Amino acid sequence: MPTAPLSHAAVDAATGGMVTPVAQILSLGAYLPDAVLSNADMERMVDTSDTWIVERTGIRERRRAAPGETPSVMGARAAAEALERAGNVVPDAIIVATCSAETRFPSTACLIQQKLGLGGMPAFDINAACSGFIYGLSLADAMIRSRAAGTVLVVAAEALTTIVDYTDRSTCVLFGDGAAAAVVGTGGGGGGIRALRCAADGADADLIYFGARPEDPGGPHALRMSGRGTFRTAVERITDVAARVCADAGWHPSEVDWFVPHQANARIIEAAAKRLRVSMDRVILNVDRVGNTSAASIPLALHEAAASGRLRPGQKIVSVAFGSGITWAGLAFEWTGSPSR
């Protein structure tokens, strides 16, 4: 299914020659809980084994939030680091991507705003599941390019271990907790976002959802997934959107320095890379150590890559995601952000 691109060239042409601001990731922040949930721990909780988990997912451990480490708490910690690295800038808007908010309302964005001591700017949540960070960036990019905002704080925070069913071995081994944040603005010096695509298809809403098991409609609600259907559809969607955002940016996949995908499952990532003819040494992976953190996974991977010195100014980066909805999204950008701790 085609995705609708946010055509930067078309926007520039429509301005009648006026220079359109280019959104950049100015800084990153991240937060991971201290508690580690290893495959050995999973073996004691559910009928599984380290070998089974690693062969099917590539995951060896994931982080688990302690009581009180809610998405807003973790998100505020990540956001504080990102804002400090951006020079303690006061954002014009706060966007939070989460599918595991601790309350129905107020929004996680408003709770984070409270914890940061900020006020007055719009703050709101979006739920595109694992595609949430790129969806959030697309909104930040549109606000900056239209001059509705100069700086936007985009946060992704998840406490997925609170909504999984630890009797369902096919899903509970996948998910972990964590948060990451990006300050998006116009820092100058070239680079920045080159192309974005976001899409959804509710016809496949039953692939990944929160609810009861199909065979037990009166049973407990938790995160549910159709494994085989999800794997196949995820590989198809993220391969397609990666090729499309590369084309929108005027890049060939061979020119991309780093692919930073949603860390859903190492086998999904490997299959998509093979279709794109991208060697795994150009793919940023941390799913083995943090598991699937849904919306937070891409910015967590970017933060880690920046901290290790792998990301350098001017490098071409493509990120892709697939999640419940179903949703999928792609992003092509040149790295301009400052290194992260």
Side-chain angles (χ1 to χ4, degrees):
M1 178 175 291
T3 55
L6 301 177
S7 174
H8 291 169
V11 172
D12 293 341
T15 62
M18 182 169 52
V19 176
T20 303
V22 176
Q24 302 175 352
I25 294 177
L26 303 180
S27 64
L28 293 165
Y31 178 81
L32 286 169
D34 290 333
V36 174
L37 192 59
S38 69
N39 287 352
D41 295 322
M42 300 303 302
E43 289 176 341
R44 291 188 286 269
M45 298 169 66
V46 67
D47 181 18
T48 190
S49 70
D50 175 69
T51 299
W52 189 92
I53 297 170
V54 173
E55 286 181 351
R56 287 162 177 78
T57 71
I59 299 170
R60 298 184 182 277
E61 61 184 37
R62 67 288 293 149
R63 298 298 182 93
R64 188 176 193 178
E69 279 186 314
T70 63
S72 69
V73 169
M74 294 187 291
R77 292 283 295 272
E81 179 190 345
L83 290 170
E84 180 183 4
R85 290 185 173 280
N88 292 311
V89 63
V90 176
D92 298 310
I94 301 171
I95 301 170
V96 174
T98 185
C99 64
S100 55
E102 64 252 45
T103 62
R104 289 182 181 271
F105 51 83
S107 69
T108 302
C110 285
L111 296 177
I112 289 174
Q113 187 182 45
Q114 177 193 59
K115 289 175 172 62
L116 295 175
L118 299 172
M121 70 287 294
F124 58 93
D125 289 359
I126 59 171
N127 182 353
C130 303
S131 304
F133 181 68
I134 298 181
Y135 267 61
L137 284 182
S138 74
L139 292 172
D141 177 72
M143 294 175 77
I144 289 168
R145 292 178 65 82
S146 67
R147 295 182 171 81
T151 307
V152 180
L153 174 64
V154 180
V155 184
E158 302 285 14
L160 297 168
T161 64
T162 65
I163 61 171
V164 299
D165 179 354
Y166 282 103
T167 67
D168 180 1
R169 73 170 190 167
S170 65
T171 59
C172 70
V173 300
L174 295 171
F175 297 99
D177 303 331
V183 174
V184 184
T186 53
I193 294 173
R194 291 288 175 255
L196 278 157
R197 285 181 179 249
C198 296
D201 186 356
D204 287 325
D206 59 345
L207 284 180
I208 312 168
Y209 65 95
F210 180 83
R213 294 176 187 265
E215 67 274 17
D216 184 18
H221 285 210
L223 195 162
R224 310 293 179 188
M225 180 184 297
S226 171
R228 290 182 180 178
T230 297
F231 188 102
R232 182 183 65 254
T233 308
V235 172
E236 291 173 352
R237 295 298 190 214
I238 64 179
T239 301
D240 178 72
V241 78
R244 289 178 183 271
V245 292
C246 281
D248 294 339
W251 303 343
H252 188 275
S254 63
E255 296 179 82
V256 176
D257 295 289
W258 294 108
F259 285 85
V260 187
H262 162 51
Q263 308 288 305
N265 177 319
R267 307 305 166 233
I268 290 175
I269 294 168
E270 289 164 357
K274 184 176 180 179
R275 286 196 181 193
L276 290 165
R277 298 181 179 179
V278 172
S279 62
M280 289 301 295
D281 61 1
R282 289 195 289 138
V283 178
I284 301 295
L285 275 180
N286 67 356
V287 68
D288 59 320
R289 288 166 285 111
V290 299
N292 180 341
T293 56
S294 192
S297 77
I298 288 174
L300 279 171
L302 284 171
H303 183 276
E304 181 179 305
S308 68
R310 283 176 286 178
L311 302 189
R312 297 189 299 276
Q315 287 185 328
K316 295 178 173 66
I317 300 171
V318 168
S319 287
V320 288
F322 172 91
S324 173
I326 61 173
T327 62
W328 64 99
L331 164 71
F333 66 107
E334 292 182 17
W335 181 247
T336 54
S338 59
S340 302
R341 282 194 294 265

